[in-house]
Amino acid sequence: SKKYDAVLQEFKAIKQAAGDKVLKVILETCYLSLEEIAAACILAKIAEIGFVKTSTGFGTDGADTIDVSLMHRLFGDVGEVKASGGIRTFEDALLFLRMGATRLGCSRGVSIIKGQPANNNSSY
């Protein structure tokens, strides 16, 4: 709805209530335009949020390299970027790290590290 001031006020209120706790904003990027992702990152930066994350795992898609790169460029100088969802192989993991992710959310972490082939039993 592009009610950016309301989002910023909510981020600030949550940050104030949380005190020194590290906060993570999950953007669910599959439902957002690049403009909305950019705005969310800038608002999270202003509110001093610790992390921005691509998805919950319940949306229609997971991490996207363009989204992660944008998030890193706009937010990575003050916080961390977590790419989550759809990361199935070691090569996928490396690609997201190269795009600026500092953390990865993947349900097959052990298989990825071992270099085992990905199975296709994923929600993405």
Side-chain angles (χ1 to χ4, degrees), residues 15-94:
K15 175 66 178 171
Q16 183 177 6
D20 292 337
K21 304 285 189 289
V22 177
L23 295 178
K24 173 176 44 182
V25 170
I26 304 173
L27 303 181
E28 209 67 82
T29 54
C30 63
Y31 298 124
L32 302 175
S33 68
L34 291 176
E35 175 189 326
E36 292 166 330
I37 293 167
C41 288
I42 292 166
L43 297 173
K45 186 176 193 173
I46 293 167
E48 300 178 355
I49 303 296
F51 280 88
V52 290
K53 180 179 172 183
T54 58
S55 63
T56 61
F58 296 105
T60 58
D61 205 359
D64 175 275
T65 56
I66 293 171
D67 297 343
V68 170
S69 178
L70 176 64
M71 292 163 69
H72 170 69
R73 283 185 281 134
L74 295 174
F75 187 81
D77 62 326
V78 297
E80 298 197 52
V81 175
K82 184 172 182 177
S84 185
I87 303 168
R88 295 185 188 93
T89 67
F90 185 74
E91 291 74 20
D92 291 341
L94 285 179

